[in-house]
Amino acid sequence: MADIPEKLTKPYDPTTTEGRMYVLWTESGFFNPDNLPARHQEPFTIIMPPPNANGRLHAGHALTISLEDIMTRYQRMQGKRALWVPGADHAGFETQVVYEKKLEKEGRSRFKMDRTDLYNEIMAFTLDSKKHMEADVKALGASCDWSREKFTLDPSVVSEVQETFRKLYRDGLVYRGYRTINWCTKHQTSLSDVETETVEKKDKLYYLKYGPFVVATVRPETIFGDVAVAVNPTDERYQKYIGQEISVQHPEGTLTLKVIADEAVDKEFGTGALKITPAHDNNDFLMSETHKLPRVVVIDQFGKLTAKTGKYAGMKIAEARTKVVEDLQALGLIEKIEDYTHAVPTCYKCSTTIEPRVMPQWFVKMAPLAKRAADAVRAGKIKFIPDNFEKVFLYWMDNSLDWNISRQIVWGIQIPALVCTACNTGALDTDAKEGSPCASCQSPLARDTDTFDTWFSSGQWPLLALGYPDNKDMPHYPTDVMETGRDLIFKWIPRMVIFGLYLTNKVPFHTVYLNGLVNDKHGKKMSKSKGNVVSPIELTDKYGADALRISLVIGNTPGNDLALVEDKIKGYKHFCNKMWNASRFVLSNIGDTTLDTVRPTLTKRDEEILAELNTTIASVTGHLESYRFHLAGEELYHYFWHSFADIVIEEMKPRLAGADKASKQSAEWVLLHILATTTKMFHPFMPFITEELWSMLPSRTPKNLLIIESWPKAL
RNA sequence: GGACGAUUAGCUCAGAUGGUUAGAGCACUGCAUUCACAUUGCAGGGGUCACAAGUUCGAAUCUUGUAUCGUCCACCA
């Protein structure tokens, strides 16, 4: 029996291997494509979706990291100039929410803090959390180039994001406007449409006697802000009132309102007559623009009634509604009350009902930008995996409303603009100074204290991560694959396409691979409140990163959610041990054969065995080229265990012990070569154990690290 | 109100361009095992591929419809 490494005589222990292998790779420098050998010329690029720097990784990250690392390691072995750029996201609103919770626990409040102090505290917190997040990425084996890591608040990133805003402004694609925005009364900021979550809510529908009309509303407390009553222009019931003024009674007096006709009014709903409250409803706001109606604010930013509501001033919405309804009933102004279920937008972080408010904010004019993005996709410049997401993307692009990019929080990139203290006209910070007169009303301009929606900066991420506009890494743009969770098809993917095209005239990536979500073992979404969150790091500690990685990949198809079953991971830990033991067997039974040994004349049976290996190489390679990682992994797994270990090794045993020297030599050579080949092919999936095993394979000449070995071709 | 996805063994899921007796892992049953590995091997049980109709020589796979579950989108107050 040949000498085999000591550690191979014991069961495989991931904990003693993984850290050591990661150090070996880091020291080799091969994560950085600049250090790769000369054969690596053609670029292959993935930009990592930057994990939030405000906490640890979750199970979904583990899947993303696994898939991206498989692609990167595979392409690196194929001789590409493989670059995978890691990042960390300051995650504006999300992090601010996390930090506010921390402040609350300490009995503090952001609203009582100085802006700069708050910003600095969140920065310290984020930079600390970021280290843990990065350690988690490393623990999963990610072969990304840390020397190029970018943080979304790096000074170069900040200045470039601000430059994009200025460019959009000059091109007339960003404007300051009064529009209905989604306001969270708890977090005191506006939110984009994708930051709200619509939930079914049971409410009452109140039928109010309203001059000569009866109107249906769920928000009787806004009656003090009513400025008109609207009917459909074709509604015969109300023809005679159109253009007239009517008098409407409410607990605090009488309103004189105009009757307007608008197509948007549904004749069938309620009574077909609609009270118009432009300051607190988007439909009504839009009508106020077409019909030139005033806007009366009756609910303030804290969700309390304003002085305009008389005795209700200072009450919260719910309380005010009860009171107003009581008082209206007392006056005999309520005809009936019905139960009513409708969809209401809520803050996706705190579930507070969104208060529509009309506020001056910065908006991106989406239509022209979205059209370019849609055209590029229709022209086939971006391929979606799975392909049905193309439809989802196009639907969003064809129906996008202007995008509110102002956030009233400190944690983020400041908008490089000034706003008029009187009329809210905006100006670029490069065109005007604080205190200089506003272009329309001559009042002094003040610094805009708002920050950008996080997606405004992360939408430019493929460029920013490559250091744009510095063009050192621009040969890596457009990148090859954007791999991310399927929930980001709305939030993120379209914005990257839009900004990529806008800034460079090129799509930011050719392929979008969307993975499903990682759910708990029952298929339910993981959430802290349900207590079913599983940390990927607990799992790597228990089973090893390799076992976790391959268990997330095999049996998981793109776009479909995955139930995380611990027994499955355990099964792949067993498989790691199988590889370990098979290697032990091979290395103790191949005599003097090494990787350099010239191929001897093989027996007919061994030719057949190699033919099966060759078929597997071709098939696995094909799957990897087509992003079918689940099939590639499964086929390899099956080949190794049930062909190589169960059949090939078993039938080699008598030959290795027998007297037929030619047969023995043939067997030894075949065993070592199958082991070497499968070790290479498994490397993208299970990098740690394969690198460790590779280091033990006998060779007369020095070997490369497995990470830069060539991907196998048919023997 | 729309769109999308799912429905295959007890459980979690694969089955790309339609093609021999539908697969994997786990679980289950029986046997074996000092010979790489009990984190093992061999053998086995278990499925009318949600339902209905259609296209085809042939359908889990394509078409249409139905049902159930899930996700996302939506400015009917």
Side-chain angles (χ1 to χ4, degrees):
Chain A
M1 190 186 273
D3 287 340
I4 57 165
E6 166 74 20
K7 59 190 156 202
L8 210 47
T9 62
K10 296 175 193 138
Y12 174 60
D13 177 14
T15 54
T16 60
T17 296
E18 294 182 356
R20 201 156 34 83
M21 290 301 116
Y22 204 85
V23 169
L24 203 63
W25 292 325
T26 307
E27 287 175 352
S28 77
F30 293 141
F31 290 173
N32 179 346
D34 299 339
N35 300 327
L36 287 170
R39 76 173 179 117
H40 300 261
Q41 291 296 321
E42 191 191 335
F44 175 82
T45 317
I46 297 186
I47 306 297
M48 183 189 294
N52 289 356
N54 59 25
R56 308 293 298 258
L57 293 193
H58 59 244
H61 287 118
L63 173 58
T64 284
I65 299 287
S66 301
L67 289 168
E68 289 168 27
D69 199 38
I70 287 170
M71 295 186 224
T72 305
R73 287 181 187 268
Y74 168 71
Q75 296 291 354
R76 191 184 288 118
M77 292 175 82
Q78 281 287 15
K80 297 275 179 65
R81 193 185 138 82
L83 171 61
W84 182 18
V85 184
D89 193 347
H90 74 282
F93 180 57
E94 297 235 348
T95 301
Q96 175 134 345
V97 169
V98 169
Y99 201 74
E100 273 179 40
K101 279 190 189 153
K102 185 168 143 36
L103 286 174
E104 258 176 47
K105 273 188 199 157
E106 294 165 4
R108 301 198 289 157
S109 161
R110 84 180 229 225
F111 301 111
K112 291 178 187 151
M113 293 176 73
D114 172 75
R115 285 182 66 90
T116 315
D117 291 347
L118 178 61
Y119 184 92
N120 290 340
E121 271 193 35
I122 302 180
M123 181 61 98
F125 166 79
T126 302
L127 291 179
D128 185 57
S129 304
K130 178 168 167 279
K131 284 185 221 149
H132 300 296
M133 179 278 283
E134 288 159 357
D136 289 354
V137 173
K138 290 174 185 172
L140 289 164
S143 66
C144 50
D145 180 6
W146 292 104
S147 75
R148 284 178 167 83
E149 188 192 17
K150 284 277 191 308
F151 175 45
T152 55
L153 290 182
D154 284 344
S156 62
V157 171
V158 170
S159 64
E160 197 48 37
V161 167
Q162 292 178 331
E163 201 42 51
T164 301
F165 175 84
R166 294 186 192 106
K167 180 172 156 65
L168 284 164
Y169 182 92
R170 290 187 202 110
D171 289 345
L173 289 167
V174 73
Y175 64 94
R176 188 153 180 91
Y178 272 96
R179 297 174 52 96
T180 317
I181 49 93
N182 302 303
W183 182 261
C184 175
T185 52
K186 173 174 166 66
H187 289 117
Q188 291 293 300
T189 182
S190 61
L191 298 172
S192 70
D193 295 335
V194 295
E195 287 167 316
T196 66
E197 196 178 311
T198 331
V199 295
E200 289 254 297
K201 203 178 158 207
K202 287 194 167 99
D203 267 318
K204 302 284 181 195
L205 188 61
Y206 303 91
Y207 286 77
L208 308 185
K209 290 184 186 159
Y210 205 75
F213 297 92
V214 173
V215 297
T217 180
V218 284
R219 306 197 62 182
E221 73 281 6
T222 61
I223 193 166
F224 312 104
D226 290 0
V227 296
V229 59
V231 299
N232 190 287
T234 64
D235 196 326
E236 286 161 19
R237 293 170 293 180
Y238 305 128
Q239 283 299 320
K240 59 182 172 193
Y241 297 112
I242 294 172
Q244 304 289 308
E245 286 203 335
I246 61 160
S247 184
V248 171
Q249 197 192 351
H250 66 62
E252 289 294 290
T254 307
L255 295 167
T256 304
L257 305 179
K258 230 171 95 178
V259 180
I260 59 169
D262 198 295
E263 298 282 352
V265 181
D266 181 351
K267 285 191 279 189
E268 307 300 321
F269 190 90
T271 60
L274 178 60
K275 76 185 195 67
I276 301 300
T277 323
H280 301 288
D281 182 282
N282 189 43
N283 281 320
D284 297 3
F285 170 77
L286 296 176
M287 281 191 216
S288 80
E289 291 213 304
T290 30
H291 299 276
K292 304 272 180 286
L293 301 170
R295 295 189 281 264
V296 181
V297 176
V298 293
I299 294 167
D300 71 8
Q301 59 176 329
F302 303 105
K304 290 182 178 166
L305 292 250
T306 66
K308 292 259 194 309
T309 66
K311 67 178 175 197
Y312 306 99
M315 287 186 194
K316 291 208 159 186
I317 293 168
E319 185 192 355
R321 184 173 305 171
T322 314
K323 281 304 261 181
V324 169
V325 168
E326 273 174 26
D327 296 345
L328 284 169
Q329 266 171 329
L331 292 168
L333 291 173
I334 295 194
E335 189 182 83
K336 59 174 172 175
I337 302 174
E338 286 178 351
D339 285 329
Y340 184 58
T341 304
H342 61 155
V344 180
T346 62
C347 170
Y348 82 119
K349 280 289 151 193
C350 67
S351 303
T352 302
T353 302
I354 290 294
E355 191 54 39
R357 277 172 66 81
V358 178
M359 285 179 73
Q361 309 252 303
W362 293 102
F363 294 88
V364 175
K365 205 180 276 179
M366 290 299 272
L369 294 165
K371 183 175 183 307
R372 281 185 76 181
D375 288 348
V377 167
R378 287 202 174 91
K381 290 187 178 154
I382 298 177
K383 187 178 149 217
F384 288 82
I385 298 170
D387 57 10
N388 58 294
F389 278 95
E390 179 177 319
K391 267 197 227 166
V392 183
F393 178 93
L394 289 174
Y395 178 84
W396 197 86
M397 288 291 86
D398 293 341
N399 293 282
S400 62
L401 303 170
D402 284 357
W403 170 23
N404 173 13
I405 53 171
S406 302
R407 293 294 173 277
Q408 293 68 52
I409 58 177
V410 300
W411 183 238
I413 298 176
Q414 207 171 26
I415 298 178
L418 299 149
V419 288
C420 172
T421 45
C423 73
N424 270 307
T425 299
L428 285 186
D429 64 348
T430 42
D431 297 344
K433 284 208 167 86
E434 224 173 316
S436 58
C438 155
S440 42
C441 77
Q442 310 304 311
S443 302
L445 292 170
R447 175 83 210 183
D448 186 352
T449 53
D450 287 354
T451 50
F452 285 117
D453 178 357
T454 312
W455 300 107
F456 184 81
S457 47
S458 43
Q460 302 167 55
W461 196 240
L463 285 162
L464 299 169
L466 288 172
Y468 177 85
D470 175 2
N471 58 16
K472 173 172 98 63
D473 280 333
M474 279 300 115
H476 281 277
Y477 188 92
T479 66
D480 289 87
V481 187
M482 175 46 66
E483 192 287 331
T484 189
R486 63 133 225 264
D487 49 326
L488 293 170
I489 183 70
F490 288 105
K491 289 181 182 163
W492 194 30
I493 303 287
R495 308 196 203 277
M496 286 191 284
V497 178
I498 282 172
F499 282 124
L501 286 166
Y502 175 63
L503 294 170
T504 70
N505 293 317
K506 286 181 194 162
V507 292
F509 30 71
H510 298 306
T511 301
V512 174
Y513 182 105
L514 294 159
N515 61 262
L517 308 179
V518 181
N519 294 324
D520 76 359
K521 62 181 169 184
H522 302 296
K524 300 284 178 208
K525 195 172 177 177
M526 291 189 193
S527 75
K528 278 181 195 160
S529 54
K530 274 188 255 175
N532 60 350
V533 176
V534 182
S535 143
I537 301 308
E538 277 170 38
L539 295 171
T540 60
D541 288 348
K542 203 162 163 189
Y543 303 104
D546 290 328
L548 174 64
R549 287 168 59 120
I550 201 159
S551 73
L552 287 171
V553 172
I554 291 182
N556 181 13
T557 44
N560 288 322
D561 294 353
L562 174 79
L564 186 63
V565 181
E566 218 172 307
D567 274 346
K568 185 175 171 189
I569 310 171
K570 197 166 128 196
Y572 288 108
K573 181 178 161 64
H574 295 175
F575 177 66
C576 289
N577 209 56
K578 188 75 183 179
M579 287 178 82
W580 196 253
N581 285 317
S583 303
R584 179 199 304 173
F585 175 83
V586 171
L587 294 187
S588 10
N589 286 283
I590 53 170
D592 296 332
T593 309
T594 68
L595 292 172
D596 325 86
T597 303
V598 178
R599 175 170 171 159
T601 308
L602 301 182
T603 65
K604 205 175 156 201
R605 173 58 188 147
D606 285 343
E607 296 283 3
E608 279 171 29
I609 289 171
L610 278 196
E612 194 195 354
L613 174 70
N614 289 340
T615 307
T616 306
I617 295 172
S619 174
V620 169
T621 306
H623 287 319
L624 286 170
E625 290 291 338
S626 313
Y627 301 92
R628 294 189 295 261
F629 307 111
H630 57 125
L631 295 181
E634 185 170 351
E635 195 161 333
L636 261 177
Y637 170 89
H638 203 264
Y639 174 79
F640 191 92
W641 198 319
H642 301 296
S643 290
F644 181 52
D646 287 352
I647 297 170
V648 175
I649 289 184
E650 288 308 319
E651 74 175 58
M652 293 291 193
K653 283 177 182 173
R655 290 171 53 192
L656 293 165
D660 184 338
K661 226 172 167 188
S663 166
K664 187 167 186 283
Q665 263 184 354
S666 177
E668 289 171 353
W669 191 89
V670 168
L671 279 179
L672 179 60
H673 279 80
I674 296 182
L675 181 65
T677 305
T678 50
T679 301
K680 287 179 189 173
M681 287 199 288
F682 267 116
H683 182 254
F685 298 88
M686 306 199 293
F688 293 111
I689 187 171
T690 49
E691 187 75 74
E692 178 87 308
L693 285 172
W694 177 254
S695 74
M696 294 186 251
L697 298 188
S699 171
R700 286 198 181 80
T701 50
K703 289 194 301 266
N704 288 325
L705 284 178
L706 182 55
I707 184 177
I708 55 159
E709 265 296 316
S710 295
W711 184 256
K713 291 197 174 64
L715 288 174

